[in-house]
PDB file of all heavy atoms in Angstrom:
ATOM      1  N   ILE A 148      42.491  15.573  13.080  1.00 98.00           N
ATOM      2  CA  ILE A 148      42.231  16.586  14.152  1.00 98.00           C
ATOM      3  C   ILE A 148      43.498  17.481  14.375  1.00 98.00           C
ATOM      4  O   ILE A 148      44.627  16.971  14.569  1.00 98.00           O
ATOM      5  CB  ILE A 148      41.954  15.836  15.528  1.00 98.00           C
ATOM      6  CG1 ILE A 148      40.651  15.031  15.335  1.00 98.00           C
ATOM      7  CG2 ILE A 148      41.863  16.823  16.626  1.00 98.00           C
ATOM      8  CD1 ILE A 148      40.290  14.183  16.524  1.00 98.00           C
ATOM      9  N   LYS A 149      43.217  18.767  14.425  1.00 98.00           N
ATOM     10  CA  LYS A 149      44.249  19.713  14.647  1.00 98.00           C
ATOM     11  C   LYS A 149      43.994  20.541  15.842  1.00 98.00           C
ATOM     12  O   LYS A 149      44.894  20.827  16.708  1.00 98.00           O
ATOM     13  CB  LYS A 149      44.427  20.668  13.423  1.00 98.00           C
ATOM     14  CG  LYS A 149      44.873  20.049  12.110  1.00 98.00           C
ATOM     15  CD  LYS A 149      44.914  21.108  11.008  1.00 98.00           C
ATOM     16  CE  LYS A 149      45.407  20.507   9.721  1.00 98.00           C
ATOM     17  NZ  LYS A 149      45.442  21.513   8.657  1.00 98.00           N
ATOM     18  N   ASN A 150      42.745  21.075  15.970  1.00 98.00           N
ATOM     19  CA  ASN A 150      42.411  21.916  17.174  1.00 98.00           C
ATOM     20  C   ASN A 150      41.318  21.270  18.014  1.00 98.00           C
ATOM     21  O   ASN A 150      40.373  20.728  17.653  1.00 98.00           O
ATOM     22  CB  ASN A 150      41.874  23.232  16.586  1.00 98.00           C
ATOM     23  CG  ASN A 150      42.918  24.069  15.844  1.00 98.00           C
ATOM     24  OD1 ASN A 150      44.017  24.091  16.155  1.00 98.00           O
ATOM     25  ND2 ASN A 150      42.506  24.556  14.670  1.00 98.00           N
ATOM     26  N   ILE A 151      41.680  21.443  19.309  1.00 98.00           N
ATOM     27  CA  ILE A 151      40.570  20.900  20.296  1.00 98.00           C
ATOM     28  C   ILE A 151      40.209  21.994  21.173  1.00 98.00           C
ATOM     29  O   ILE A 151      41.030  22.700  21.799  1.00 98.00           O
ATOM     30  CB  ILE A 151      41.238  19.818  21.174  1.00 98.00           C
ATOM     31  CG1 ILE A 151      41.726  18.628  20.379  1.00 98.00           C
ATOM     32  CG2 ILE A 151      40.246  19.371  22.310  1.00 98.00           C
ATOM     33  CD1 ILE A 151      42.523  17.584  21.157  1.00 98.00           C
ATOM     34  N   ILE A 152      38.914  22.403  21.080  1.00 98.00           N
ATOM     35  CA  ILE A 152      38.342  23.551  21.852  1.00 98.00           C
ATOM     36  C   ILE A 152      37.613  22.945  22.994  1.00 98.00           C
ATOM     37  O   ILE A 152      36.577  22.240  22.934  1.00 98.00           O
ATOM     38  CB  ILE A 152      37.370  24.374  20.953  1.00 98.00           C
ATOM     39  CG1 ILE A 152      38.227  24.831  19.782  1.00 98.00           C
ATOM     40  CG2 ILE A 152      36.744  25.569  21.764  1.00 98.00           C
ATOM     41  CD1 ILE A 152      37.292  25.516  18.697  1.00 98.00           C
ATOM     42  N   SER A 153      38.080  23.182  24.229  1.00 98.00           N
ATOM     43  CA  SER A 153      37.552  22.580  25.473  1.00 98.00           C
ATOM     44  C   SER A 153      36.523  23.532  26.201  1.00 98.00           C
ATOM     45  O   SER A 153      36.880  24.700  26.416  1.00 98.00           O
ATOM     46  CB  SER A 153      38.694  22.215  26.386  1.00 98.00           C
ATOM     47  OG  SER A 153      38.247  21.762  27.593  1.00 98.00           O
ATOM     48  N   ILE A 154      35.440  22.862  26.640  1.00 98.00           N
ATOM     49  CA  ILE A 154      34.468  23.656  27.337  1.00 98.00           C
ATOM     50  C   ILE A 154      34.434  23.268  28.802  1.00 98.00           C
ATOM     51  O   ILE A 154      34.188  22.093  29.139  1.00 98.00           O
ATOM     52  CB  ILE A 154      32.868  23.345  26.819  1.00 98.00           C
ATOM     53  CG1 ILE A 154      32.836  23.554  25.254  1.00 98.00           C
ATOM     54  CG2 ILE A 154      31.875  24.038  27.551  1.00 98.00           C
ATOM     55  CD1 ILE A 154      31.597  23.050  24.597  1.00 98.00           C
ATOM     56  N   GLN A 155      34.603  24.283  29.654  1.00 97.00           N
ATOM     57  CA  GLN A 155      34.694  23.993  31.121  1.00 97.00           C
ATOM     58  C   GLN A 155      33.256  24.244  31.587  1.00 97.00           C
ATOM     59  O   GLN A 155      32.544  25.234  31.246  1.00 97.00           O
ATOM     60  CB  GLN A 155      35.647  24.985  31.774  1.00 97.00           C
ATOM     61  CG  GLN A 155      37.130  24.623  31.614  1.00 97.00           C
ATOM     62  CD  GLN A 155      37.516  23.450  32.536  1.00 97.00           C
ATOM     63  OE1 GLN A 155      36.629  22.881  33.176  1.00 97.00           O
ATOM     64  NE2 GLN A 155      38.857  23.192  32.485  1.00 97.00           N
ATOM     65  N   VAL A 156      32.816  23.394  32.491  1.00 95.00           N
ATOM     66  CA  VAL A 156      31.466  23.454  33.099  1.00 95.00           C
ATOM     67  C   VAL A 156      31.736  23.679  34.629  1.00 95.00           C
ATOM     68  O   VAL A 156      32.404  22.916  35.196  1.00 95.00           O
ATOM     69  CB  VAL A 156      30.672  22.197  32.894  1.00 95.00           C
ATOM     70  CG1 VAL A 156      29.281  22.223  33.576  1.00 95.00           C
ATOM     71  CG2 VAL A 156      30.441  21.963  31.372  1.00 95.00           C
TER      72      VAL A 156
END
Side-chain angles (χ1 to χ4, degrees):
I148 296 175
K149 294 179 180 178
N150 297 316
I151 301 174
I152 301 170
S153 175
I154 303 169
Q155 285 284 3
V156 177

